[in-house]
Amino acid sequence: MGGKVTKPSQPPKREVSQIDRAILDLKVSRDRLTRYKKKLNLDSTKLLSKAKTYKSKNTSADTKNALNLLKLRKLKLKEVDNIDSQLLTLQGMVSNIQSKEEEKEVLAALRTGKNALEKLHAENSLEDVMNLMDDVQEQNELEEEINNVLVNTGETLTLVEEDELELELQALMEGDVTEIQAEV
């Protein structure tokens, strides 16, 4: 009845590396620049609208104000272009860092594989392998000799045995079966 209440297990906290911090900072900068770009585009649209309003009044002061607003709009659009190039630079940096992290992991895996191969090669030297192959070859040759002896046993007949078989065949042909039975 009075069971323990346990807290849900939390995953262990991982320390933030310098690389992770750099990527985070770059992404935060990217987000700020994106918000700033949106603001500049919105301001540019508003300036164009005001310039149209001034131009429609057709007074020299209003025309001058419209021209100044268009100049200001042009400056903001140039700033948008600068932000676009900065965003590309930031994205390139993030991609380069992530690519280098992947390369680092691949190199670590290769290093681990190389170490495993070295350990395996240390267990089995070239001389051991050559000796083993020689032993296997000797065993194969011995097996072949044994097979040859077993196969050839019973197949080879001596000259006397061949002569006896020829006589037996002649007797069979002549119908002298009684003579064959007596010999057996």
Side-chain angles (χ1 to χ4, degrees):
M1 291 233 272
K4 279 187 168 181
V5 178
T6 59
K7 294 182 182 178
S9 63
Q10 297 176 352
K13 291 184 179 181
R14 193 180 94 160
E15 269 191 51
V16 178
S17 70
Q18 289 180 340
I19 294 171
D20 293 336
R21 173 58 61 193
I23 290 174
L24 179 64
D25 289 346
L26 289 169
K27 288 182 176 182
V28 166
S29 295
R30 178 198 62 200
D31 293 344
R32 279 191 207 140
L33 284 173
T34 302
R35 284 192 302 271
Y36 184 54
K37 179 182 169 182
K38 285 180 184 177
K39 181 185 177 303
L40 288 174
N41 282 329
L42 184 62
D43 289 348
S44 172
T45 305
K46 287 179 183 178
L47 288 172
L48 182 61
S49 174
K50 282 184 183 180
K52 285 181 183 178
T53 304
Y54 279 127
K55 184 63 178 156
S56 66
K57 293 181 181 178
N58 278 336
T59 62
S60 66
D62 288 334
T63 303
K64 191 172 185 178
N65 284 339
L67 186 61
N68 286 336
L69 289 174
L70 290 175
K71 286 179 183 178
L72 185 58
R73 179 179 180 263
K74 183 75 171 178
L75 290 174
K76 291 198 181 266
L77 290 176
K78 281 185 180 181
E79 185 68 21
V80 167
D81 290 339
N82 288 339
I83 289 173
D84 283 337
S85 70
Q86 289 174 356
L87 285 171
L88 284 173
T89 302
L90 287 174
Q91 189 58 41
M93 262 185 151
V94 168
S95 294
N96 287 340
I97 290 171
Q98 290 171 336
S99 173
K100 291 300 177 186
E101 279 187 315
E102 292 296 323
E103 286 176 15
K104 178 183 170 186
E105 289 176 15
V106 167
L107 290 174
L110 286 172
R111 192 171 294 114
T112 302
K114 178 197 72 91
N115 292 339
L117 281 174
E118 282 178 349
K119 184 178 179 184
L120 290 171
H121 288 145
E123 291 174 6
N124 298 315
S125 69
L126 181 59
E127 186 177 317
D128 292 341
V129 172
M130 295 300 289
N131 289 338
L132 178 64
M133 294 307 293
D134 288 341
D135 291 345
V136 168
Q137 181 65 31
E138 288 175 14
Q139 292 302 315
N140 285 339
E141 289 171 1
L142 180 62
E143 181 65 25
E144 189 175 315
E145 287 177 21
I146 291 171
N147 285 337
N148 286 338
V149 168
L150 290 174
V151 169
N152 291 333
T153 303
E155 284 186 14
T156 59
L157 299 175
T158 64
L159 292 176
V160 173
E161 291 173 333
E162 286 183 24
D163 289 341
E164 287 177 1
L165 288 175
E166 285 181 21
L167 287 174
E168 188 176 337
L169 178 62
Q170 254 180 356
L172 281 174
M173 293 172 86
E174 294 173 2
D176 204 355
V177 176
T178 57
E179 189 178 305
I180 296 173
Q181 289 177 352
E183 288 179 8
V184 175

